[in-house]
Amino acid sequence: MFKRILALFALCVSLPTFAYQEGDSLSEEVIKKLNLSANELTIVDFFAEWCVSCREELPEVNQLSVELEGTGVSFKGVDVDEDIEVGIEFQKQLGLTFPVINDPEQDLIAEFKPIGMPALYYIYQGKVIKIRFGAINHIRDVILDDLSDMGVQL
């Protein structure tokens, strides 16, 4: 009996961990934590102070968030710095104006499990529509192209 339990445990540990993929619906808990509106397409941007690419991309994302206000497209940041003071100072340095959720306990990032940073998740009506990971040059243009490909009228 002990060998069966041990084998079952080993199998469970070896299974890949769940991460949100395109087409997946978010849990109600995650929707609530992110304060998502079902009537908006929300681009959730995971970032951290230590992420060099984040430092380069966030000013473009911030500017685009201002340009797209009132269009039905919104932005939410998730700062995953474990030291909340470091994260808040980073946000201030970059002058971020879109809403940011600080995730020092790593709860949200543990739900999404992105494979790179920064990580963008396009979410509409509680469902992941598109994902982008890692450094992307001209992120503003890429986001606008993604929205156009999704049929979003701006």
Side-chain angles (χ1 to χ4, degrees):
M1 179 70 169
F2 179 73
K3 288 182 182 180
R4 286 184 187 172
I5 293 172
L6 187 58
L8 181 61
F9 176 76
L11 177 63
C12 290
V13 170
S14 68
L15 292 174
T17 57
F18 176 77
Y20 284 121
Q21 304 294 318
E22 289 180 14
D24 288 346
S25 294
L26 302 179
S27 72
E28 287 300 319
E29 182 181 344
V30 168
I31 291 170
K32 189 174 182 179
K33 282 182 184 178
L34 291 171
N35 194 26
L36 297 177
S37 168
N39 299 323
E40 287 187 325
L41 186 147
T42 304
I43 300 172
V44 178
D45 190 348
F46 284 85
F47 63 86
E49 182 272 339
W50 49 262
C51 170
V52 175
S53 298
C54 299
R55 189 176 296 277
E56 292 177 23
E57 289 181 12
L58 278 167
E60 281 187 61
V61 171
N62 190 61
Q63 180 58 41
L64 186 58
S65 74
V66 172
E67 292 172 25
L68 296 181
E69 274 184 40
T71 65
V73 176
S74 65
F75 291 79
K76 294 268 171 100
V78 179
D79 187 325
V80 301
D81 286 298
E82 292 178 4
D83 184 334
I84 198 164
E85 289 82 17
V86 168
I88 290 171
E89 182 58 32
F90 177 60
Q91 296 162 38
K92 286 180 184 175
Q93 284 174 5
L94 295 179
L96 300 183
T97 57
F98 58 87
V100 174
I101 297 161
N102 294 297
D103 191 28
E105 301 299 323
Q106 310 291 294
D107 295 328
L108 282 168
I109 199 165
E111 291 279 342
F112 282 83
K113 294 178 182 58
I115 60 171
M117 292 280 280
L120 295 177
Y121 290 81
Y122 297 69
I123 300 169
Y124 183 64
Q125 296 183 336
K127 187 178 255 186
V128 178
I129 305 300
K130 185 165 189 65
I131 303 171
R132 292 218 176 252
F133 297 120
I136 300 172
N137 292 327
H138 310 290
I139 191 64
R140 178 189 183 282
D141 296 336
V142 171
I143 292 171
L144 289 172
D145 286 345
D146 287 346
L147 295 172
S148 178
D149 291 346
M150 292 177 203
V152 176
Q153 301 293 320
L154 301 175

